[in-house]
Amino acid sequence: MICCCYRLPCAPIMNAKANTLQACHSCKPSVSNQFSTIHLLTTNHIPIRARAVPTFYTASDPMPLTKEANRSTIGTHSSHPTQREISFLDTDMIIRTACQKDAATCAAIYSPIVRETAISFELEPPNEQEMLARITKSFPMFPWLVCELDGIVVGYAYARQFRDRPAYQWSVEVSVYVAAEARGKGVGRALYVALFEILQRQRFINVIAGITLPNDASVRLHESMGFQPIGVFQKIGYKFGAWHDVGFWRLTLGEHSRDPLPPISFADLRV
């Protein structure tokens, strides 16, 4: 399925209030309303129930999730998780694939992070055209998702290749950014829930997150999602007249088997 608003792959939209998945607003008339419920579990005793999964996976998909076998392997470090629904504020929250029209908003969300903090090691914020180029380059291999609150994009998350060498192909690096006015509302967590479900179905095994230290809020978010610390690069980046440490965290989405199947592109997940 291709998003008719910019011919980018049309990912599922997760409506956190209505407990449903919908099509992108531009594609909505052409998408059937067939869904099946699955569950995601995170570590640290914070299980999350994903709202739904659309039926764009074919019968030949090597990792189907059905009602009879519906527990993903996300966060299987936790020994005794119990299911509960993630809590959101009483507002409409929608997760969907980024489109051309989202480039300006994503750039606006990211700009103060570049200009005012060392969270990003970029020195000049990308403009709308550069952000659009990054979103477009992400497809068809990797997902780039945005979150809407009451119809306004307030955050985005994406995955990218961790390293270029072929042996790294099962590992991705992820980032999530949330507008200042929307922080503390579950936006980052909701984006990650949707992103990790997609990455798991793509057969990625390792999800890496780099965090400029100190950043207690980001560390809490990632560790609540099941990430575990794996190391720190000390004084690795210089910005605003100071050297900064970067810590790395890893989330494992599946088994480190002896003969892993190659990852599937994001576009190939849909029919």
Side-chain angles (χ1 to χ4, degrees), residues 121 213 232-238 242-246:
F121 278 3
L213 302 175
V232 176
F233 287 171
Q234 296 182 344
K235 294 179 171 52
I236 195 66
Y238 183 82
W243 289 96
H244 301 277
D245 298 345
V246 175

Side-chain angles (χ1 to χ4, degrees), residues 168-228:
Y168 286 116
Q169 65 183 286
W170 292 272
S171 299
V172 295
E173 190 169 3
V174 296
S175 296
V176 61
Y177 298 103
V178 179
E181 65 274 12
R183 291 169 193 164
K185 299 181 179 181
V187 173
R189 182 180 296 272
L191 282 162
Y192 265 173
V193 168
L195 183 65
F196 298 158
E197 174 62 26
I198 294 170
L199 293 174
Q200 186 183 51
R201 288 175 173 271
Q202 289 183 259
R203 302 177 183 155
F204 290 113
I205 304 298
N206 303 304
V207 180
I208 307 298
I211 304 173
T212 305
L213 302 175
N215 189 335
D216 292 342
S218 184
V219 171
R220 283 195 302 270
L221 170 63
H222 286 85
E223 292 189 348
S224 74
M225 300 297 297
F227 283 81
Q228 299 196 357

